[in-house]
Amino acid sequence: MLLIAATADDAIRGISDGATVLIGGFGNAGQPMDLIDALLRSGTTGLTVVNNNAGQADAGLAVLIRERRVRKIICSFPRQSDSWHFDAAYRAGEIELELVPQGTLAERIRAAGAGIGGFFTPTGYGTMLAEGKETRVIDGRGYVFETPIHADAALIKALKADRSGNLIYRKTARNFGPVMAAAARHTIVQVSEVVQSGELDPEHVVTPGIYVDVLVAAEPGRAAAAQGRGGLERVDTP
Amino acid sequence: MLLIAATADDAIRGISDGATVLIGGFGNAGQPMDLIDALLRSGTTGLTVVNNNAGQADAGLAVLIRERRVRKIICSFPRQSDSWHFDAAYRAGEIELELVPQGTLAERIRAAGAGIGGFFTPTGYGTMLAEGKETRVIDGRGYVFETPIHADAALIKALKADRSGNLIYRKTARNFGPVMAAAARHTIVQVSEVVQSGELDPEHVVTPGIYVDVLVAAEPGRAAAAQGRGGLERVDTP
Amino acid sequence: MNGKLDRGGIARLIAGDIPPGSYVNLGIGQPTLIADHLTPEQNITLHTENGMLGMGPAATGDQIDGDLINAGKLPVTELPGASYFHHADSFAIMRGGHLDVCVLGAFQVSGTGDLANWHTGAEDAIPAVGGAMDLATGAKEVWVMMSLFDRDGTAKLVPRCSYPLTGIGCVTRVYTNEAVFLLDAGSVRVRATYGVPFTGLASRIDVPLLPPAARPRAGDKPAGRPG
Amino acid sequence: MNGKLDRGGIARLIAGDIPPGSYVNLGIGQPTLIADHLTPEQNITLHTENGMLGMGPAATGDQIDGDLINAGKLPVTELPGASYFHHADSFAIMRGGHLDVCVLGAFQVSGTGDLANWHTGAEDAIPAVGGAMDLATGAKEVWVMMSLFDRDGTAKLVPRCSYPLTGIGCVTRVYTNEAVFLLDAGSVRVRATYGVPFTGLASRIDVPLLPPAARPRAGDKPAGRPG
């Protein structure tokens, strides 16, 4: 049952301490800043976060890490010129890092959404990131066994949603959104606006509404259809 | 290097006897009839064909089977009210059948395109379609190991292409097209028309041009830009 | 006690039991009848495994479009809020456990929820599986719609399936012309009977049956799936 | 004999060697310079692993759009014929062997084509791998662009990498400021030298080198990858 939240704070309710949370974005593109800020305000802690990076500068995921809400991060590229909050937490031994090649990260998330129990990828074979993992030679090529990354919740950003929960994205901000939406038990999406069902061309939908649980719109005009009636509007008719 | 063929006969050149060929379509929707007819005219035989079905009535794949060009078929649903040509070939012992659950068929084709060496799926666990296959219990659930289906060629149908080879499809005729385009070494696409690069919105492209080798357009007006210059036009500028 | 249900009656019953807002796949054959009994107020979204969510009623007349068909290859229509996707994405929806309910026909169902619905196992039969195994394995709830007895009077709810299996322990409910059965962790409870008393039913079926709960309700909570 | 190449010179050389019509990924750092030397006549399509084919030049001024960035997170532009896709689809392009060429920077390359470019192995270093292993493993041709010697004069073309590996036996060419090397099934042939004679080069590198072929051509056929 799709819910439309009046605010980002309403939208992120239900994420518990210790939850595994997929957070969309590649750098800042596609990073759901409003939802992350709300998660920060909620005080939730002890999180395992899955993201390509480990935060940039002083916004979004970086602040969540600065405030020590993240117990463990699963990512491909934590070290950047402006990843100072992660760097400090890591050197202090206050955050656990699971480093995953970027394509393996995306494929493990996809596998969770697609009900795949595990898969063999050639990426990383013979490297230290395959140490301790099952390997297999298939048709003369080496492969590493990788497992799905399931999650309690996903926080992602899309361009628009319709009232059936269908999503479209914008340019390279699409990145991890579609696979994360499918992999989490509870998917929360920050969009610019929510339009009526029928306003998105069915051929152009990137994430079908079946994967979306909660929407929150940044544009108050259309977003706050819910506001008069409390924080969460149940969408009974698309 | 993308080629634009003047005719379907030009388009399917290079498919050898004994080749493994992915053929798009679910029933008749998305079935590339022009390309199959050309393949029939070419006389190519001993084929292994991968398709969801085993042909309907007296057109397309059914005729290829009637003419005994198909040595083996890998499909999920051969038996239909109008699959008489397959039925006859099968009962005569003149076609080999590898029966694969439909989702496993799609995922095995996807795995080939995505460079995955194999994967564990829960589908078919404990059934006769898993007999002889490796199985594994993961987190208390049974899974079957399945391998990628690579192919020499794919014949698919899309709605439109641009001169960069990007494809869009139409409604449920999309079906196997995108995964087959990625899985074959040589992908041949039948479209209604070929438009200039830039005419398809990059957000709406379903199959990126990197997967497409040869295009042929049904609408002669735009298709036959190539015709004066022989059967195959090399696209040097999008 | 009401009379036995006909197919339309079973379909109406199932339609009424599907929770509002659900994503549902109706298998080919009998279960497609259910769509006719869904109401707009239920806000049910239908999935068809050949690549669509938001499938509408059967197409007629000018609506018929060869590019818009359902899993049974029949022409259908598109509702507002629909979406199209390719086959691997469509079966990821199924295998990934995202469908709330799927309703399938069956040759046999076992008391532990095993399903046999794709192959009679006959020597000369040409096997065809389609999406049946993916649906049986993937949906959160797998409901079966079938006649309780076959033409020669043999029960189709059995201790152990004799036909080749589609999926193991996957069925949570069985809707038939004479009764509705709720399957849960090896136990089979009769939710209601139609045209026969519980005792009469129990004597004709070789699976231990629990009687209807004291106050049966038509829309009781779907049984949870183990695992 | 010409002089040693600067970075722009190496980038120009590589750009000229990419076959027309290729799909190419230019790794972050030095290899991004190559884009400036590609000509429209080459009809090269650039892939960026964060979800795009048909990437154009760096964005400037009003073109800058936070939603349109490359793998190095720098603003870029979109060319006609571009397409966007999600991360799993983007890495399927790489892992599936669909890119014709990728060009990566490196700490070390071994004579058998092993690549080390993601981690110095230093005790206090924070590791970050990004898409490096996927590119090294997936592209049909993996070319390296690097200086031949590091600051203290140690050769980066080595018998065996001492840094943690990115991929095994994946590199087919190494473009450096002093020479271009063609790697094929364990042998290393110098295609050309820049500012140094072959013999001088061979004496400073601990990998057996084959001399340039009798009539070297700038655009010779890409070396095939074993397997």
Side-chain angles (χ1 to χ4, degrees), chain C residues 24-39:
Chain C
V24 176
N25 185 301
L26 302 175
I28 57 178
Q30 279 191 47
T32 57
L33 298 173
I34 297 164
D36 298 336
H37 300 281
L38 296 171
T39 64

Side-chain angles (χ1 to χ4, degrees), chain B residues 26-27 29-30 52-53 76-80 86-87 90-91 97 99-104 106-107 110 121-129 141 170-176 178-179, chain C residues 28 48-52 65-73 78 84-88 91-92 95 118-119 124-131 133-134 137-138 164-168 225:
Chain B
F26 179 87
N52 187 64
N53 304 102
S76 88
F77 207 77
R79 186 199 60 222
Q80 302 183 104
F86 170 79
D87 298 1
Y90 183 77
R91 295 198 194 285
L97 169 65
L99 191 71
V100 182
Q102 195 170 149
T104 301
E107 190 71 9
R110 180 202 177 259
T121 175
T123 302
Y125 182 77
T127 75
M128 61 182 263
L129 294 189
R141 190 166 197 204
R170 187 162 178 278
K171 304 191 184 283
T172 58
R174 185 185 302 195
N175 56 67
F176 284 90
V179 287
Chain C
I28 57 178
T48 183
E49 57 259 43
N50 52 316
M52 181 186 196
D65 178 342
D67 285 347
L68 181 46
I69 60 175
N70 67 12
K73 306 196 177 71
E78 165 192 307
Y84 296 104
F85 28 79
H86 62 59
H87 243 80
F91 280 78
R95 196 192 306 107
W118 74 281
H119 191 14
D124 64 338
I126 297 177
V129 66
M133 290 189 180
D134 302 276
T137 309
L165 294 182
T166 308
I168 294 179
R225 266 180 88 191

Side-chain angles (χ1 to χ4, degrees), chain A residues 26-27 29 53 76-80 86-87 90-91 99-104 106-107 110 121-129 141 170-176 178-179, chain D residues 28 49-52 65-71 73 78 84-88 91 95 118-119 124-131 133-134 137-138 164-168 225:
Chain A
F26 179 87
N53 304 102
S76 87
F77 207 78
R79 185 199 62 221
Q80 301 181 105
F86 170 80
D87 297 1
Y90 184 78
R91 294 196 195 286
L99 192 71
V100 181
Q102 196 170 147
T104 301
E107 190 70 10
R110 180 202 177 260
T121 175
T123 302
Y125 182 78
T127 74
M128 60 182 264
L129 294 188
R141 191 168 195 199
R170 189 164 175 278
K171 302 188 184 284
T172 59
R174 183 184 305 195
N175 57 67
F176 284 91
V179 287
Chain D
I28 58 179
E49 57 258 44
N50 52 316
M52 181 187 197
D65 177 342
D67 286 345
L68 182 45
I69 60 176
N70 67 11
K73 306 196 176 71
E78 167 191 305
Y84 297 104
F85 29 79
H86 63 59
H87 244 79
F91 280 78
R95 195 190 310 106
W118 73 281
H119 191 15
D124 64 339
I126 297 178
V129 65
M133 288 187 180
D134 302 276
T137 309
L165 293 183
T166 308
I168 295 179
R225 269 180 85 190

